[in-house]
Structures are given as structure tokens and as C-alpha cells.
Amino acid sequence: MKPSVLFFICFLFGGMMAQSQSYPWPVGTTPELTANFGELRSNHYHMGLDGRTERRENLDIYSIEEGYVSRVKIEPWGYGRSIYIDHPNGITTVYAHLNDFYPELEAWVRARQYEAESWKIDLTVPAGLFPVKRKQFIAYSGNTGGSMGPHLHFEMRNTQSEVVLNPLKHGFYISDKTPPDILRLAVYDRNISTYEQTPRYIALVKTAGGYTAQDVVVQSNRISFGFTSYDRYTGSTNQNGIYGAALFVNNVEQCRFTMDSIHYSHTRYLNAHIDYKTKLGGGPYIQHLSLLPGHHHHIYSGGDGILKLQDNAWQDVKIIVYDPVGNQSVVRFKVRGSAASSTQKKMGEPVFHPNVLNIFENENVRFYLPEKALYDSFQFKYNVLSTPTGLVHQLHNGTVPVHEFFNVQIRNVSFPKPEKVVMHYYFGTRKKYAPTSYKDGWYTASFRELGNFKLIYDTISPVISAVSNTPSRLSFTITDNAEDLTNFRATLNGQWILVSFDKGKNFVYKKDDRCKKGLNTLEIYVEDMAGNTSSRTFTFNH
């Protein structure tokens, strides 16, 4: 049996399994997806299904199966307000971006927040304290945390390993007879770093039998392919991520990837799976159908996907892109290579490699990239700029992704108070601030990006806005020049109160029994990463 035929049968069988083990839809509305598992996002894979909530909040959310609430987490970004439910079959389901939980759970969580005097909280719930049944109401949908619009984010995890599973292969079925769309094909010269070239695009023609492309002649003996594709399910125009793809040369499989399961410790490997430089420059998502040398992620199987071409010998290439229930699209073309290309490296500039420790240091700046920090080699470039606010150290640029955190150290002995110094990173529209530690004239901060770095002497205190008072709530904002706050506390008539700060900026106190009739006094205290503080006192009638 041909590999491509066996391949199709396996995925069709997987789709049939999903249909026979059907779970109820967790949202109290018509089942619709706005995003699927493995979809490409900034610096991470999408780790579940996004269920449509009709562009509004407070729809009913249901447990898909019996079990018990095992964890509740509330945070300003990320998943916002989320519930984790453990099920007897060894699966944990996650429901995220929620508003209020069901009353009994909401009251218990609120009591724990008051005990800890913290709105942000991560609670392990005693087993069996909150049992749930199949289709039981557990919360209202919302738009909390990192959500950019009302929806439910839903996940399935292996309870023991915490590996996140693709729900469309584990009990969820969406009617789908639509094969993926393939928009573009790209070729890379793998004698050169993928960060030091622009991909060559190959025009595709859609036919009744799939896609065809013109025969390709390349000036290289080592190449790889990438492509842009999206999937749709029957009756929907929403562009979702693809489930997988496979590369065949002369009908022999070379490489494939499949979005079956991903652990959170691997989700940042998305930056090795895509052409990061092209996407960061405003281009499309191009998914590699090959392994970069520093890509240590299990979605790939088979070979490395790099074709070793012989001079003037034509090779038959076939790329299959498929969805969870066996629908597939196929691209066929021929490729021929020639002598290896060459590039002229600039003298004096070091070459950084994946899988080894990379070090750069001079009299004013130094850093060390851990062994698993890089995905591909590149020629590192350093420059320093003098600005009115101090020196800017250009540590290459942000078009090269970094997998792990690393310490940047900048030397400066002129600041009178080291504790007031923060490190500022920026590249293009991206910017971040980090607190520093100080020793022997060197300031150290941790980042996970290459680009521009400078020290800032921060003596500017956070700004607390005026308070808006309505019959049911108080609200205000806090802003800071370095953005991140490290300490916040609010009291009402001398007692700590539960103030939410979803998305980090909008602070809201929903009036409870600590807000008395008549005159009340609100005190707000905040501290930034440089230790600058602000406080304000307000009085209001209720």
C-alpha cells in the first residue's frame, strides 16, 4: 500500500473515532469554532478550541462530562478567570476567559481571595469538594484575561502528564467535508540560515485534483519547503489552523508534522515551526515542512525535511495538507538543484549556533545564550548608539527568535541609586521593561528577545486616576512609565477590599458588605518595579 493512501486511511479512521465518542458542546449556543488547536499565534500555538459566544458575554458554560473542580485560576492576562475539571477518564478540561463562576464555587473562591488578600490567585481545589455532572452549568462566558473579544477558550489535557490534547481528535466532532486551502509555497536554501534569506515563492494553481506548481530550478543542493495554509469546516468561512502536513519526494515520505498534542513547555517552539523573520516583517505565516537544527519539538516525525539534490536530476515532490477527519489537499511539482550556493560572511562578526552556548561581551555589555536558546545559526551583529537618554546597545535585532530567557548585563557606574534602574528593551513596535540587579558596576536583567537595550533611571511614580463611583462599583486606572506594577493594595474604611485589575489597567471594586451606607474612605497604594510609590485617598457616599 502506498504511504499516502495509508496516511489518508489513518486520519479518516481517527475522524470516525472522534464522531463515535461525542461530548456535548460546552457553550449554551450553536456549536461554532473561531479557532482550533495548533493554530498559529504570536510566540505560541493556540492550545485549544475557541467557541463562539455570539459576540457577547454571560452565556452559560457547561462541563462536558462528570468530574470535579480541581483548580481555579484568576489572573489579569493569560486565561483571565478559568476553571479546571478533572474527569474519571484521566482527562482534565479547562474553561477560560470566564466571568462569574456558578454561585457555590464563586463564593468559595471569593472567600479564599479575602483570606489571601489577593485578587490574583491560583487555587488547588480539594478533590470532590465541588463535584459536577455532565452538562452542568459551571460559569458564565466572558472576555477576561488576554482575550481580545468575548468567547470561550476550551482545552483538554492529560491529567497526569498535563500534555494538551487536540479536542477534535478526542471526542469533539464538527461537521467537515472541506479540505484545507493552500495559499502559497516557499523554498529555502538550507546552505544559508533561514534568518539570512528571503524565501522564494512558487505560484500555485488550484485544480479539480488539488494544486499544481511550475517545475522549480534552484541554485542549491540543499533545500526545504514552507507553505501558507488554513482550514475551514463545513458551513463556516472562518480561517482556522491546519491539522498537519507531509512531504514526499519520489513517493517516499521525508517529513511530516501533526497537531495531535502539545505540552505547554513546547508551545514557544512555534517560532521554529514558522518563518519568524517573514512574519515579523509583516508577511504571512509560512509553516516550515522541515526541522530547523534547534527545533526540539515532537509534532514532527520522520526525517528532517531537507532535500539533498543532485545536479540536474529532477525530483517529484508532493505535499499533503490535511485536517482531523481526513480531508486533504495535495500539491505536486518537480524540483531540480545545482551546485551549492555560497555567502560571504563579514569578518569580525561572530556566528551564533543552536545547541551550543553562545557568548558575547565587551567592556560595556555582555550576555550568554543557553544551549537551547536558538533554532538556527546566524551572524551576530552588535552596534551601540548614543542618545540623549543614554547608550542603546543593539544586540542584533528581533528578527531572530530566542527560545529561553537569558541575562543581559550593561555596565554603568553613574547612577546614584542602583535600585531605581530598570532595563528597557524595544524593537519595532515591541517594548518591555525589566527590573535589574546590581553588582560591581553591572546591571543585570532577564529577557527572551534580541534587539535594542538601554538602562533607564526611573524616579517617576505611578499615576492613580480619579475614581468613578456608580451605585454598584468603583473604578479607576493606574499608569506607569515602565508599565508593570509590582505591588498594589486598596482598603475601604481600613479594610482590604477585592479589586480586580483585568488586563492590568482597569481596576474595579464591585461593592460588597465592606461598603457601608453613608460616607466611605477609599485608600489606594501602588508601587512600580523601581520602587516608586503613589497613594491617594478618596471619600464617597454610598
Side-chain angles (χ1 to χ4, degrees):
M1 183 180 293
K2 290 183 178 181
S4 58
V5 175
L6 177 62
F7 181 62
F8 177 76
I9 291 174
C10 289
F11 287 108
L12 182 60
F13 179 71
M16 294 168 63
M17 290 281 288
Q19 290 189 53
S20 64
Q21 187 188 354
S22 180
Y23 289 116
W25 192 244
V27 184
T29 186
T30 303
E32 286 188 83
L33 288 181
T34 59
N36 60 2
F37 183 86
E39 203 164 287
L40 311 177
R41 299 291 173 84
S42 177
N43 292 319
H44 68 283
Y45 294 105
H46 188 247
M47 300 290 274
L49 304 180
D50 280 354
R52 192 182 299 276
T53 59
E54 301 176 346
R55 298 182 181 178
R56 57 193 178 97
E57 301 182 32
N58 295 319
L59 270 67
D60 289 352
I61 301 300
Y62 305 102
S63 173
I64 67 161
E65 192 54 270
E66 70 173 27
Y68 64 89
V69 177
S70 59
R71 182 184 180 189
V72 172
K73 190 175 184 181
I74 297 174
E75 56 188 336
W77 293 100
Y79 285 171
R81 294 171 57 93
S82 56
I83 293 177
Y84 297 66
I85 297 177
D86 286 3
H87 304 281
N89 62 356
I91 297 296
T92 296
T93 52
V94 183
Y95 310 77
H97 306 311
L98 304 171
N99 283 343
D100 287 353
F101 309 137
Y102 70 96
E104 295 83 359
L105 181 60
E106 182 72 28
W108 184 83
V109 171
R110 189 177 183 84
R112 304 289 86 73
Q113 290 173 304
Y114 268 104
E115 286 177 6
E117 294 194 349
S118 175
W119 169 77
K120 181 180 176 181
I121 203 162
D122 189 353
L123 299 169
T124 299
V125 182
L129 182 61
F130 292 103
V132 297
K133 298 178 181 179
R134 180 181 172 96
K135 296 185 180 180
Q136 178 180 321
F137 166 73
I138 58 171
Y140 294 103
S141 68
N143 185 32
T144 58
S147 172
M148 296 294 105
H151 72 283
L152 171 72
H153 176 85
F154 172 81
E155 290 182 15
M156 299 181 75
R157 302 182 182 182
N158 181 299
T159 303
Q160 208 165 35
S161 67
E162 295 189 339
V163 170
V164 187
L165 309 173
N166 188 338
L168 295 180
K169 299 296 290 183
H170 292 83
F172 279 86
Y173 178 72
I174 299 292
S175 179
D176 186 3
K177 298 181 180 179
T178 306
D181 293 296
I182 306 175
L183 277 66
R184 60 181 59 83
L185 185 65
V187 180
Y188 296 84
D189 181 351
R190 293 305 289 270
N191 293 304
I192 307 171
S193 167
T194 54
Y195 306 130
E196 295 173 346
Q197 62 181 292
T198 300
R200 174 185 169 187
Y201 293 114
I202 302 171
L204 296 178
V205 177
K206 188 171 185 179
T207 66
Y211 294 82
T212 61
Q214 291 184 338
D215 294 341
V216 180
V217 178
V218 293
Q219 301 299 310
S220 176
N221 61 357
R222 296 179 79 250
I223 66 169
S224 65
F225 297 102
F227 63 94
T228 301
S229 180
Y230 62 83
D231 191 28
R232 292 175 290 119
Y233 62 89
T234 302
S236 173
T237 59
N238 197 69
Q239 297 180 356
N240 299 317
I242 63 168
Y243 177 61
L247 170 67
F248 297 82
V249 177
N250 299 327
N251 285 324
V252 177
E253 183 177 315
Q254 306 295 312
C255 182
R256 77 167 67 178
F257 68 83
T258 307
M259 300 295 184
D260 268 324
S261 61
I262 302 172
H263 195 278
Y264 265 95
S265 62
H266 292 156
T267 187
R268 193 174 174 87
Y269 276 112
L270 169 125
N271 291 334
H273 176 60
I274 67 169
D275 183 335
Y276 185 88
K277 175 188 171 187
T278 294
K279 181 58 182 175
L280 194 68
Y285 273 119
I286 300 174
Q287 299 185 67
H288 286 300
L289 195 41
S290 66
L291 280 167
L292 298 185
H295 190 169
H296 307 289
H297 181 21
H298 73 281
I299 63 167
Y300 282 86
S301 60
D304 61 10
I306 299 175
L307 277 61
K308 289 79 173 176
L309 302 177
Q310 298 177 353
D311 285 358
N312 300 319
W314 287 102
Q315 308 288 327
D316 292 318
V317 178
K318 177 171 62 177
I319 295 173
I320 302 176
V321 182
Y322 48 90
D323 68 17
V325 296
N327 300 306
Q328 61 178 354
S329 294
V330 182
V331 181
R332 292 180 174 87
F333 59 98
K334 293 180 181 293
V335 64
R336 186 179 73 185
S338 63
S341 61
S342 63
T343 57
Q344 185 68 38
K345 296 292 185 182
K346 293 184 179 180
M347 298 299 293
E349 293 180 344
V351 177
F352 283 7
H353 298 282
N355 305 313
V356 298
L357 178 67
N358 293 280
I359 301 172
F360 177 83
E361 53 188 359
N362 61 30
E363 65 276 11
N364 291 314
V365 65
R366 60 194 183 195
F367 70 93
Y368 311 89
L369 291 178
E371 292 180 357
K372 293 186 178 180
L374 298 177
Y375 309 123
D376 203 356
S377 300
F378 70 99
Q379 192 157 15
F380 176 79
K381 296 177 176 61
Y382 169 76
N383 190 28
V384 60
L385 301 176
S386 180
T387 72
T389 57
L391 297 179
V392 176
H393 299 275
Q394 296 181 322
L395 307 183
H396 201 72
N397 61 68
T399 63
V400 174
V402 179
H403 189 73
E404 296 183 347
F405 282 98
F406 63 98
N407 287 336
V408 177
Q409 296 183 298
I410 299 177
R411 185 174 182 272
N412 190 302
V413 295
S414 65
F415 297 125
K417 295 182 178 180
E419 66 272 13
K420 293 291 185 184
V421 178
V422 300
M423 196 175 294
H424 176 39
Y425 163 84
Y426 64 94
F427 181 76
T429 59
R430 296 183 301 180
K431 61 178 180 177
K432 294 183 179 180
Y433 299 85
T436 64
S437 60
Y438 177 80
K439 184 179 180 180
D440 299 331
W442 290 88
Y443 291 89
T444 302
S446 184
F447 291 90
R448 196 157 51 170
E449 296 89 5
L450 295 172
N452 305 308
F453 297 84
K454 65 184 295 186
L455 296 176
I456 295 178
Y457 190 63
D458 182 10
T459 59
I460 301 174
S461 296
V463 177
I464 305 169
S465 74
V467 172
S468 173
N469 179 24
T470 71
S472 62
R473 62 186 231 168
L474 303 174
S475 61
F476 53 92
T477 61
I478 300 176
T479 56
D480 186 65
N481 62 309
E483 297 184 338
D484 289 337
L485 305 174
T486 59
N487 194 10
F488 165 79
R489 184 177 178 85
T491 60
L492 191 62
N493 306 318
Q495 290 185 299
W496 183 87
I497 55 173
L498 184 61
V499 176
S500 65
F501 44 97
D502 187 63
K503 297 179 172 53
K505 296 194 181 294
N506 299 315
F507 292 72
V508 176
Y509 165 60
K510 294 181 180 179
K511 293 177 180 178
D512 55 15
D513 56 6
R514 298 200 174 187
C515 184
K516 64 183 183 180
K517 294 292 183 181
L519 190 65
N520 290 266
T521 301
L522 172 68
E523 294 182 285
I524 302 168
Y525 171 86
V526 64
E527 181 180 355
D528 67 15
M529 68 174 63
N532 303 302
T533 64
S534 292
S535 60
R536 289 191 71 173
T537 301
F538 301 90
T539 57
F540 64 93
N541 279 297
H542 176 58

